[in-house]
Amino acid sequence: MKARLSFWQIVNMNIGFFGIQFSFGLQQSSMSPIYKYLGADEASLPYLWLAGPMTGLLVQPLIGAMSDRTVTRWGRRTPYFLIGAILCSLGLLAMPFSPTLWMAASLLWILDAANNVTMEPYRAFVSDKLQPAQHSIGFLTQSAFTGLGQTLAYLTPSLLVWLGMNKDAVNGSHIPHIVIVAFMIGAVFSITSVLWTLKTTKENPLSEAELLAMRARPAGWRHALGDIASAVREMPSTMRQLAWVKLFQWYAMFCYWQYIMLSLSTTIYGTTDQASQGFRDAGLLAGQVGAFYNFIAFIGALALVPFTRRYGPRIMHSVCLALAGVAMFSIPQIHTPALLFVPMVGIGLAWASIMGNPYVMLAGCIPPERTGVYMGIFNMFIVIPMIIQIFTLPLYYRSLLGGNPENVIRLAGVLMLCGAVAVLAVKIKKPQASLRPLAETATQ
């Protein structure tokens, strides 16, 4: 029987997610500019983002399945997200010193592989620790740390400028020094936050029956692949229905991350020349509005808990995606930097919901003993839309979208609205126990 955890225990358990998401935030805010600084063609940017979804597609289901059957003195999940955090820190340290485009793209593969080794065992770890009635507060707290980590990742270059660093100082590859320092800070956060979680939160010990059952199962990656195949065949209907929702929302988010800076550089500063001051200013502005929507996600994730409890994760997710759709569609119409913060409220609420509510819907329909493999497979519903986006957007970027990054952001808005409709068709199991309000949980 799992013990009911206090709010602060849930917070400590999820702090490691802060470092993981700081790393992801640096990728989202800085990789397209870094690629442009190193001479990438605008239309081919999606191809250079292939590392993330491909490593997610290959690594997360396999690591999730292997963590379900791992038995060590440190636990099932802990070895994976510790090793992943160490590798992630090393990748972050090396990335901003890339002298060539191919090296930056190669380092992104390593960095994403490390993040993916950490990610799904971490989600499974949270599910392992919590009673079903606490899944909502657990995953939405994880979503809050996603917002906090990415807020600071997006904002770090601007904070460094405010602290006195020269925003126009660059290295030999034209990469700003503020970006280099931001990646170094991310390397520190990546490892220290995971170490904090390991110090404060131990995995639940397995019962003797669970240990015997796990040891009786054949080990090795081939058998893990067999687990993945059988889990796909036996996938719950709720999970299959969520695949359509995630197709729309993640295709949209990848469009947004890849082209938001280029869109702002044209609408606000009238340039796409990577050597210009306007382009560097657009990078800072993109970081500031990105930090703001992630801060909204940080606050919104906790604020969503009572609404999710009352109206259910399906309705709340639909509302949040619809707000993001309207927000994204409106961004290219804005030509004043201060007004950009208004649509970021909608994007922030959607980001909070994306990182929390689908997992609330998922957790109630999968068998506990296969949490790792199903969390890994669920990630395939994130990376497959990204891969589709990478190989399709360049085909129509110039012909249908006019070679205009503003139109990519408009497309993202339309897709978010499609996701808001699709989620209404998802049928979910009733919660096994009523969800208590955040305030009640926090007082335990």
Side-chain angles (χ1 to χ4, degrees), residues 45-352:
L45 279 177
Y47 295 132
L48 296 170
W49 282 67
L50 184 61
M54 281 302 297
T55 53
L57 181 65
L58 299 172
V59 172
Q60 288 205 22
L62 181 60
I63 293 296
M66 290 175 66
S67 73
D68 279 341
R69 54 173 66 229
T70 295
V71 180
T72 72
R73 58 181 292 189
W74 300 283
R76 289 192 292 174
R77 321 294 185 186
T78 298
Y80 295 97
F81 54 76
L82 178 58
I83 292 170
I86 293 170
L87 293 176
C88 179
S89 293
L90 295 175
L92 288 170
L93 286 173
M95 176 63 76
F97 296 101
S98 302
T100 61
L101 187 60
W102 70 265
M103 182 171 288
S106 299
L107 282 171
L108 185 61
W109 281 85
I110 296 171
L111 183 56
D112 267 302
N115 274 325
N116 283 306
V117 167
T118 306
M119 183 70 70
E120 288 320 302
Y122 207 117
R123 290 198 187 280
F125 169 67
V126 172
S127 185
D128 292 342
K129 291 288 294 182
L130 296 177
Q131 297 176 357
Q134 289 193 299
H135 282 161
S136 179
I137 182 65
F139 285 115
L140 286 170
T141 301
Q142 195 172 89
S143 179
F145 276 109
T146 296
L148 180 61
Q150 294 194 8
T151 295
L152 292 177
Y154 274 87
L155 198 57
T156 295
S158 293
L159 290 173
L160 293 171
V161 172
W162 294 336
L163 290 173
M165 285 191 68
N166 182 357
K167 67 182 175 64
D168 296 318
V170 298
N171 67 6
S173 301
H174 305 290
I175 298 173
H177 291 169
I178 55 175
V179 173
I180 295 173
V181 175
F183 272 78
M184 294 174 71
I185 292 171
V188 174
F189 282 156
S190 179
I191 187 63
T192 56
S193 62
V194 168
L195 289 175
W196 177 267
T197 289
L198 295 181
K199 177 179 174 60
T200 59
T201 311
K202 304 301 181 186
E203 291 194 50
N204 289 340
L206 297 171
S207 68
E208 199 61 40
E210 289 173 323
L211 285 170
L212 288 173
M214 288 178 64
R215 286 170 176 149
R217 296 165 69 185
W221 63 270
R222 291 184 180 85
H223 296 289
L225 288 176
D227 276 355
I228 295 170
S230 66
V232 170
R233 289 193 300 270
E234 300 161 11
M235 188 184 301
S237 60
T238 298
M239 195 170 172
R240 295 179 187 275
Q241 293 159 356
L242 282 168
W244 290 101
V245 181
K246 293 171 82 73
L247 171 63
F248 292 120
Q249 72 187 28
W250 285 105
Y251 195 115
M253 289 306 300
F254 231 40
C255 286
Y256 177 85
W257 290 330
Q258 290 169 1
Y259 285 91
I260 183 59
M261 180 194 169
L262 300 182
S263 176
L264 296 181
S265 72
T266 59
T267 57
I268 305 295
Y269 298 99
T271 182
T272 56
D273 178 8
Q274 64 266 27
S276 67
Q277 180 179 339
F279 190 84
R280 291 191 292 272
D281 289 343
L284 287 174
L285 178 60
Q288 290 160 13
V289 297
F292 183 73
Y293 90 67
N294 276 286
F295 180 74
I296 294 296
F298 168 57
I299 301 299
L302 298 178
L304 282 174
V305 172
F307 292 98
T308 297
R309 172 179 174 264
R310 181 169 182 177
Y311 300 107
R314 179 178 58 186
I315 296 298
M316 290 311 302
H317 196 49
S318 179
V319 170
C320 290
L321 292 184
L323 290 173
V326 173
M328 289 180 178
F329 199 80
S330 70
I331 286 173
Q333 315 306 124
I334 298 173
H335 301 282
T336 304
L339 293 179
L340 286 170
F341 291 90
V342 176
M344 293 301 139
V345 174
I347 295 174
L349 290 174
W351 187 229

